[in-house]
Amino acid sequence: QAIQEVAQVKRELGLSYTVHLPLWSLEPSTMQTPVRQGSVQALVECIRAVAPLEPESYVLHATGALAAEFYHMRIPEMARAILMRQFQGGACESIRTILAQTGLPPRKLAIETIEFPFDLTLELAQEFDTSICFDTGHVLVGFSGPVDFFAALEQSLPRLGEVHLHDGPWQGLEMKLGYGKDHSPLGTGDLDVPRFLERLEQAGFNGPIIFELMVPEALASLEYVIKLA
C-alpha cells in the first residue's frame, strides 16, 4: 500500500524517484556465503517491491561494514590488498545474482563510492557495466582511499548514473578519515562546487543529483547553488 501511495504522489506531482537500496545489517561482499546470499535476497526483494515506482536508478553499497573494518585495520598492506580483493569477489557474486534475478538493466544499478577502495569499486562497475553513484562527501573525507577528488570524478564520468551531493573537509592523499564530517551543507567544507557542477555540465550529465542531507541543510545547499548562478 505504501508503494502504491508513493506512486500516486509521483503521478500527481510529476516526480521522479531514485532508490537507495538497503545497507544496514547487509553484507553483500562477505566471504560467509549464507550471509551474502541472505543480503542478496533482501536487496532483490527491495528492487522488486519498488519496481512500480519506475526508479531512475538503484543505488547499491556493494560492500558492507565488514569490508570497511578490514580496509582500515592496522595490518600489512599486502594483507589488506588480498582481503580487499576477497571482498570485491564477494561483491561480484552478489551483483551478478542481483542482475540475474531482477532482470534490471545494469546501468540502472549505481554502485556508490563508499568505504572501500575507489579503484576496486570502479572495477566492479566496469565488470558488470553498471553505473557509478559518485558521493562527493565520501570521497572528500577519505572513505574511498587516497584518491584525488577530481581525478576520481573523471574516471567515473563515463558511467556516472547518480550524484550524492554534500560537503566535507578534504582529507588529502594520506588516507586520513573524516568520520562524521561528511553530509555537511554545501559551502561549509572543501568541495569546489562551481568547478564540480561545471564539469558535470560540460560532460552533459543529466542524471539525478541528490542532496543527501536533512531538509534544512538541503535547502541551505540549494540556496548556495542559486547564489553561484
Side-chain angles (χ1 to χ4, degrees):
Q1 181 181 352
I3 296 296
Q4 293 173 358
E5 291 174 355
V6 173
Q8 180 63 28
V9 172
K10 175 183 178 179
R11 290 190 292 269
E12 291 176 354
L13 300 182
L15 301 178
S16 59
Y17 294 130
T18 73
V19 170
H20 197 309
L21 295 171
L23 58 108
W24 288 322
S25 301
L26 300 190
E27 290 288 350
S29 66
T30 180
M31 290 161 269
Q32 294 292 330
T33 301
V35 177
R36 187 173 67 248
Q37 291 174 339
S39 298
V40 168
Q41 180 181 349
L43 292 164
V44 168
E45 289 177 357
C46 180
I47 291 171
R48 290 172 175 166
V50 300
L53 301 179
E54 300 179 324
E56 293 191 25
S57 63
Y58 298 80
V59 175
L60 173 67
H61 282 207
T63 57
L66 186 63
E69 180 179 349
F70 276 96
Y71 186 27
H72 300 296
M73 192 175 289
R74 293 187 177 182
I75 54 178
E77 286 304 318
M78 182 177 294
R80 189 192 323 279
I82 292 171
L83 284 167
M84 291 304 101
R85 285 292 179 184
Q86 290 289 321
F87 283 113
Q88 186 193 45
C92 279
E93 291 299 318
S94 292
I95 295 168
R96 182 179 293 110
T97 304
I98 290 168
L99 293 174
Q101 291 189 7
T102 62
L104 200 66
R107 286 297 180 113
K108 286 281 188 178
L109 192 65
I111 300 175
E112 184 172 349
T113 53
I114 56 172
E115 202 166 350
F116 193 69
F118 175 78
D119 58 336
L120 302 190
T121 300
L122 187 61
E123 286 178 11
L124 284 172
Q126 293 169 338
E127 172 74 18
F128 296 97
D129 194 29
T130 71
S131 297
I132 287 283
C133 173
F134 191 86
D135 187 296
T136 58
H138 289 175
V139 177
L140 281 169
V141 303
F143 285 1
S144 297
V147 294
D148 177 80
F149 180 89
F150 282 99
L153 174 62
E154 288 300 320
Q155 290 179 276
S156 301
L157 279 175
R159 55 184 64 252
L160 186 62
E162 180 167 328
V163 172
H164 286 176
L165 185 56
H166 48 104
D167 217 332
W170 168 235
Q171 297 298 295
L173 296 177
E174 298 81 17
M175 203 167 173
K176 296 178 182 178
L177 281 173
Y179 284 123
K181 296 181 180 180
D182 54 336
H183 297 282
S184 298
L186 298 186
T188 64
D190 293 324
L191 177 60
D192 188 339
V193 179
R195 180 183 173 186
F196 179 73
L197 296 179
E198 182 180 3
R199 185 66 189 97
L200 293 184
E201 184 177 12
Q202 290 173 349
F205 177 71
N206 60 0
I209 299 178
I210 310 297
F211 285 128
E212 206 171 43
L213 299 161
M214 301 300 287
V215 172
E217 288 81 5
L219 292 174
S221 296
L222 181 59
E223 184 67 23
Y224 178 86
V225 171
I226 291 172
K227 289 180 179 179
L228 293 176

